[in-house]
Amino acid sequence: METINVLELKQRLELENSMTLLDVREPWEYEICRIDASVNIPMSQIVKRMDELDKNAKIIVICHHGARSFQIASYLESRGFKHTANLEGGISAWANLIDKLMPEY
């Protein structure tokens, strides 16, 4: 599994649109702040909803600080997903380094 930081993600988003941003936070967290075009499938629902994801797509997994997303990226990889990456520092790092107007919690 790859790890990507927020600066690398910002660059990738500017260059390509062929990736899935999978936000695994709870819906209440997702409502407070999110990266545009991300998909919210909470960590607790990933087993039931995994079929909504393309096993061959580039999937960047996002959470608040990077711990839950690391677990889910590892899990997806163990289930045959070929291109998963964990967003290091999560949405908190995104808010601090990329989108300073983003609400935080």
Side-chain angles (χ1 to χ4, degrees), residues 54-72:
D54 179 353
K55 283 191 172 186
N56 296 308
K58 293 178 191 174
I59 300 175
I60 311 298
V61 188
I62 303 164
C63 71
H64 193 195
H65 293 291
R68 287 177 282 178
S69 55
F70 179 84
Q71 291 176 15
I72 294 302

Side-chain angles (χ1 to χ4, degrees), residues 63-98:
C63 71
H64 193 195
H65 293 291
R68 287 177 282 178
S69 55
F70 179 84
Q71 291 176 15
I72 294 302
S74 296
Y75 175 78
L76 291 174
E77 191 173 73
S78 76
R79 296 296 186 258
F81 287 78
K82 305 204 183 312
H83 309 285
T84 62
N86 177 46
L87 182 61
E88 186 176 50
I91 198 76
S92 180
W94 184 270
N96 285 309
L97 297 171
I98 305 299

Side-chain angles (χ1 to χ4, degrees), residues 1 7 12-13 15 21 24 26 31 38 46 51 55 57-59 61 63 65-66 68 72 80 92 95 98 104:
M1 175 197 34
L7 298 172
R12 285 189 189 185
L13 289 171
L15 296 174
L21 302 178
V24 297
E26 293 300 314
E31 286 300 315
S38 62
I46 214 67
D51 60 334
K55 283 191 172 186
K58 293 178 191 174
I59 300 175
V61 188
C63 71
H65 293 291
R68 287 177 282 178
I72 294 302
S92 180
I98 305 299
E104 292 189 74

Side-chain angles (χ1 to χ4, degrees), residues 13-64:
L13 289 171
E14 290 170 354
L15 296 174
E16 62 179 287
N17 290 340
S18 62
M19 68 185 84
T20 300
L21 302 178
L22 173 61
D23 193 317
V24 297
R25 296 175 299 142
E26 293 300 314
W28 69 267
E29 294 174 285
Y30 189 75
E31 286 300 315
I32 294 171
C33 58
R34 66 189 154 277
I35 298 173
D36 289 340
S38 62
V39 175
N40 182 226
I41 301 178
M43 183 178 191
S44 62
Q45 297 177 14
I46 214 67
V47 173
K48 293 179 185 174
R49 296 180 57 192
M50 190 168 36
D51 60 334
E52 296 175 30
L53 302 168
D54 179 353
K55 283 191 172 186
N56 296 308
K58 293 178 191 174
I59 300 175
I60 311 298
V61 188
I62 303 164
C63 71
H64 193 195

